[in-house]
Amino acid sequence: FRRAFDPDAIGLIARLADKTGAKLMLMSSMRRTWPAGAEALHQTLIAEGLPADLWHREMMLPTIDGGTTWQELDAWLAGRDCDALSALIIEQGGDPYPGELPGDVYYYDTSPPDGFTQWDYFKIMAAIGVEDGEVEPPPGRPASGFRAMPARWRGREIAPPVSSGPVPSRSFGF
């Protein structure tokens, strides 16, 4: 079968959920744009390595007609006891949350050219104080900001990008 998502990223997200006990909830704009609809998207994610038991009972952030993802998140959070909520939002190069997240809700921004990598996995694990003793962390993100070669995207190898020099590493809001 042809994969729609990078199997390396899917594996790391599944491992992150497993190691932390987290439940997944999809907030991406793909909820609105997936050609066969949101339920088909969810089934695709399950088939590609994010098992049904890793998902929150509300598998997707409810949409609001004309609303932004952050407005939808605000509406969803308004119906919850945020002091008892613990969550991690992983974004890929989007607009950061316009304000302060409530309770124990954290925001992490990945590098758009890379997607979610092993580097991101270990940065998140360290930030939340969880260890994964089965895997050795990489020494650091390559200076270019791109992951070490060979790079993969959607499960296939791609040529490395040409860099004119180091790009500062991205920070995250914990």
Side-chain angles (χ1 to χ4, degrees):
F1 95 106
R2 183 182 170 140
R3 292 183 168 272
F5 299 97
D6 179 351
D8 296 334
I10 291 286
L12 288 167
I13 291 170
R15 188 175 185 93
L16 180 67
D18 181 59
K19 292 289 184 185
T20 62
K23 294 295 183 185
L24 304 175
M25 177 184 257
L26 188 64
M27 293 176 45
S28 162
S29 62
M30 289 185 291
R31 297 170 295 144
R32 293 183 184 90
T33 61
W34 195 255
E39 182 55 34
L41 169 60
H42 186 237
Q43 292 307 313
T44 299
L45 289 165
I46 290 171
E48 291 197 18
L50 296 174
D53 65 326
L54 290 182
W55 290 88
H56 187 274
R57 62 181 164 71
E58 296 176 68
M59 63 184 191
M60 294 190 196
L61 184 67
T63 60
I64 299 173
D65 287 338
T68 68
T69 300
W70 298 129
Q71 290 167 334
E72 294 163 347
L73 179 62
D74 284 340
W76 189 81
L77 289 171
R80 300 214 164 30
D81 175 8
C82 291
D83 290 335
L85 179 68
S86 183
L88 169 68
I89 299 168
I90 302 172
E91 177 70 57
Q92 187 172 336
D95 294 327
Y97 185 78
E100 186 156 333
L101 289 162
D104 192 17
V105 180
Y106 300 101
Y107 177 85
Y108 182 85
D109 191 12
T110 66
S111 172
D114 297 339
F116 191 77
T117 67
Q118 189 180 30
W119 171 260
D120 299 309
Y121 172 82
F122 281 104
K123 290 285 277 189
I124 290 169
M125 295 288 278
I128 62 176
V130 177
E131 291 187 20
D132 184 343
E134 300 169 29
V135 181
E136 185 71 25
R141 185 181 293 274
S144 69
F146 294 95
R147 75 173 123 171
M149 298 169 299
R152 294 180 65 157
W153 183 74
R154 293 194 176 173
R156 57 182 199 263
E157 292 184 10
I158 60 172
V162 177
S163 175
S164 60
V167 175
S169 62
R170 298 176 70 92
S171 60
F172 59 95
F174 276 88

